[in-house]
Amino acid sequence: MALTGLALRELWISFRLLLVVGTLLFASLPALVQPHAAVPAAAGGPGDPSWWLAVGLAVGLALAAGVAAATVSAERRRGTAGWITMRAVPRATVALTWFAAFALLLVVGLVPAAVVAWLSLEPLLPGGPAPLAVAVASAGCAGTAAVAAGLLLGALLPAAPAGILAAVVSGAWLVASAAGPAGSGAWWSLPADGLRIIAVLGDAARPVADSLRAAGAALGLAAVLLIGAVVAFERADL
């Protein structure tokens, strides 16, 4: 807990916390500005504020992955992580600390974004707040998988390449999942299906069940990537 607090303090001082949280909050702006926008063809299209919400959240989660990769790489290369491990802190604990810090960061950004979106889109979502809340939580689980991938890259690459690669790869995955055709069933998009459910929430047949299934897949992917990040951190030069 103490190390997680220090990590969050570092993110606050460097304004990276505000960058990630602000981007996630900005995702709810289209829904706030045009809550009753008409959908030109079908729900989930570019004219739908729910679609813009899903794409905006995907961009924010990808940014979090990039920031995580660049931060961990910078902490590793300038010796800060090595200084901590010299105080009898296991390397795995350092890696898990940064994962916990960014997971909390996603919660801080996603909760108010979901509240703003619900207040704006309530007339368009007759199913109540539960489907949106579960879908946003599922999207957050996909975000943790992206962050874990960022930590893995940060343990292997310099800061700039790690951050750019993590943001681009996770962004391509998350945005394609959010903006892709409804019901595509692609295996690669399953962990990020929460974003697609947000995009078509007004017409989704089983938003809660599908979001929970996607959340489980996302957490499983995050666990695999986090194990890889811990192993890479154990072998990295600190």
Side-chain angles (χ1 to χ4, degrees):
M1 292 296 293
L3 289 176
T4 302
L6 289 175
L8 290 172
R9 181 177 179 273
E10 172 64 24
L11 293 173
W12 171 260
I13 292 174
S14 61
F15 298 102
R16 283 169 284 186
L17 187 151
L18 294 177
L19 176 63
V20 174
V21 173
T23 303
L24 292 172
L25 284 173
F26 187 77
S28 62
L29 185 60
L32 183 64
V33 174
Q34 292 182 324
H36 300 286
V39 181
D48 189 348
S50 297
W51 186 90
W52 284 109
L53 173 64
V55 172
L57 291 179
V59 172
L61 296 174
L63 177 64
V67 172
T71 299
V72 169
S73 178
E75 293 290 313
R76 177 175 60 84
R77 293 175 69 86
R78 71 186 180 196
T80 306
W83 181 85
I84 294 175
T85 57
M86 289 176 61
R87 271 63 184 174
V89 178
R91 291 186 175 211
T93 301
V94 177
L96 294 174
T97 289
W98 282 108
F99 179 79
F102 277 95
L104 289 174
L105 202 60
L106 295 184
V107 173
V108 171
L110 288 173
V111 169
V115 172
V116 172
W118 165 247
L119 294 176
S120 304
L121 299 174
E122 180 182 3
L124 304 177
L125 304 177
L132 177 62
V134 177
V136 171
S138 178
C141 293
T144 61
V147 166
L151 296 180
L152 175 58
L153 291 173
L156 299 173
L157 300 175
I164 294 172
L165 185 60
V168 170
V169 172
S170 61
W173 169 53
L174 294 171
V175 172
S177 300
S184 62
W187 64 268
W188 54 266
S189 69
L190 176 59
D193 270 355
L195 290 167
R196 185 58 199 165
I197 292 168
I198 294 173
V200 298
L201 196 56
D203 288 349
R206 301 182 306 170
V208 174
D210 291 342
S211 295
L212 291 175
R213 183 183 65 171
L219 291 176
L221 178 60
V224 172
L225 292 171
L226 187 57
I227 292 172
V230 170
V231 172
F233 212 81
E234 291 282 358
R235 298 174 178 271
D237 183 12
L238 303 182

